[in-house]
Amino acid sequence: MAWFDQERRYRRLPQQPAHPIRPEVDSLANCTSGGQIRFRTDSRTVSVRVRLTAGAGMYHMPPTGQCGVDAYTGGPGSWIHTGTASFQPADTEYESLVFSCESKERRSFMLNLPLYQGVEELWIGLEPDAEVLAPEPYDSGKKIIVYGTSITQGGCASRPGMSYTNILSRRMNLEFINLGFSGNGKGEAELAKLSAEINDPACLVIDYEANCVSTENYVRTLPVFIQTYRDYHPDVPIILISRVPHGAESLRPDLLQARMERKAFQADLVRNLQEAGDARLTFVDGSSLLGSDPGEATVDGVHPTDLGFKRMADGLEPVLAMALASAGYAD
């Protein structure tokens, strides 16, 4: 959470942004998608007690993804899932064990916060005599910022650790800042400016086509969004992702045609900007990110399942690694 150090709030944008944002975005900024708590301890048990702003209420996403916390142990390069909080969907406060082991040894932990709900307070429960240490450092102090839609926010992962930004953060040992706003990733210049306020960016990923409203609106907003960020960070790599296919495109030619039109526009825009001198701008064709059977990797034709998010992470990881290496941020 990029502004946590200043405001001490579980929130993905400033409480009072310097640039005006729509009420819908302001509300969604309270969802804690991408938020992680990392530490080391020799406690044989780890529990969480969480107070939420509301309970679960989505028909197509499990409560564990909306409101849950899941835990990983092992440390950079070897994270493994150890448990997911157990609670009732309507609960606004719950306490749950997320790790238990007979042996007492020092371990690294990562707790992923809820994807689609706000967290007012969170407590971590350990054994009374347990030691608590700082986590291992990231490979770099630079951050990967991802701006987008409900897919970026994590809809509809079964638990927080399975959103594609959280999967990538485990693989790459870098801090990922999730700025996905469900139904409201519409490419406003104000969000580009707020993204640009985040210190030490390693890369900006833009993935908001699915909320663009129309091809005409996308053609209008995307160049402005890119240029607005470039005005602040002329040399930071930018990765533009075209949207993943809709699961029903084989039955809806209009959906396929609209997506192909926008994909062609994005590819042309990136090529033109590259020819104009922007060497750190990359286009990723999202057509294949969900695999050859995209409908089987979604809940409703749009939002990925855990399988879909893993496929997205598989496709994006080498692109991110190449962009970071080209900018000298990674080997």
Side-chain angles (χ1 to χ4, degrees):
M1 306 224 164
W3 288 269
F4 184 83
D5 286 345
Q6 294 92 341
E7 300 189 352
R8 313 303 293 178
R9 295 177 63 90
Y10 298 116
R11 181 174 160 86
R12 295 183 295 149
L13 291 175
Q15 186 67 23
Q16 296 183 323
H19 312 284
I21 59 175
R22 291 180 291 110
E24 296 86 350
V25 174
D26 184 68
S27 177
L28 287 164
N30 291 316
C31 298
T32 53
S33 181
Q36 296 176 336
I37 299 174
R38 299 166 68 240
F39 56 95
R40 288 179 295 159
T41 183
D42 62 353
S43 180
R44 287 169 294 194
T45 61
V46 177
S47 299
V48 293
R49 181 181 173 193
V50 185
R51 190 165 77 231
L52 303 166
T53 53
M58 298 169 69
Y59 79 93
H60 59 342
M61 184 171 178
T64 46
Q66 294 178 60
C67 302
V69 172
D70 63 7
Y72 282 76
T73 189
S78 59
W79 291 112
I80 59 171
H81 174 247
T82 67
T84 303
S86 176
F87 56 95
Q88 295 300 312
D91 288 349
T92 57
E93 186 169 329
Y94 62 81
E95 184 173 324
S96 178
L97 187 73
V98 293
F99 172 82
S100 179
C101 184
E102 292 183 359
S103 62
K104 188 178 182 67
E105 60 184 83
R106 187 179 296 171
R107 297 178 175 88
S108 297
F109 285 90
M110 175 193 294
L111 306 181
N112 294 292
L113 302 189
L115 300 174
Y116 264 79
Q117 195 49 266
V119 173
E120 293 185 351
E121 289 190 271
L122 184 145
W123 298 262
I124 299 170
L126 307 175
E127 292 181 301
D129 61 343
E131 63 176 1
V132 182
L133 302 170
E136 296 93 343
Y138 290 115
D139 291 344
S140 167
K142 292 189 174 292
K143 308 171 183 70
I144 296 177
I145 303 152
V146 189
Y147 171 74
T149 66
S150 56
I151 295 175
T152 305
Q153 187 172 333
C156 293
S158 66
R159 53 182 178 80
M162 291 310 298
S163 71
Y164 82 82
T165 61
N166 281 340
I167 294 173
L168 287 168
S169 76
R170 293 195 297 278
R171 295 180 180 181
M172 304 186 75
N173 195 34
L174 293 170
E175 185 174 2
F176 279 69
I177 304 296
N178 188 305
L179 296 182
F181 300 103
S182 183
N184 286 276
K186 299 185 178 181
E188 302 99 323
E190 290 80 6
L191 269 297
K193 294 176 182 176
L194 287 169
S195 300
E197 287 184 7
I198 298 173
N199 295 328
D200 298 321
C203 181
L204 172 69
V205 179
I206 302 173
D207 183 19
Y208 78 89
E209 181 193 338
N211 286 168
C212 70
V213 180
S214 67
T215 299
E216 293 75 18
N217 191 64
Y218 197 53
V219 169
R220 179 180 62 82
T221 60
L222 182 59
V224 176
F225 193 96
I226 293 173
Q227 185 57 54
T228 300
Y229 192 83
R230 273 284 175 257
D231 289 342
Y232 291 84
H233 299 289
D235 298 318
V236 169
I238 294 177
I239 297 174
L240 173 65
I241 307 173
S242 67
R243 71 165 296 171
V244 297
H246 192 291
E249 282 183 357
S250 61
L251 305 174
R252 291 278 307 276
D254 57 314
L255 294 176
L256 176 60
Q257 180 180 350
R259 185 171 64 81
M260 290 297 99
E261 290 174 354
R262 291 191 292 269
K263 186 178 81 168
F265 159 69
Q266 292 169 85
D268 288 343
L269 174 63
V270 169
R271 183 168 52 252
N272 292 336
L273 291 173
Q274 288 172 337
E275 291 174 354
D278 194 337
R280 291 183 177 155
L281 181 61
T282 302
F283 173 65
V284 175
D285 181 357
S287 300
S288 61
L289 284 179
L290 292 182
S292 60
D293 53 350
E296 292 298 291
T298 70
V299 173
D300 52 4
V302 177
H303 299 93
T305 60
D306 294 355
L307 171 63
F309 279 128
K310 182 181 182 300
R311 289 178 177 177
M312 289 184 69
D314 290 344
L316 293 173
E317 183 180 2
V319 179
L320 276 167
M322 186 176 296
L324 297 177
S326 69
Y329 297 149
D331 295 330

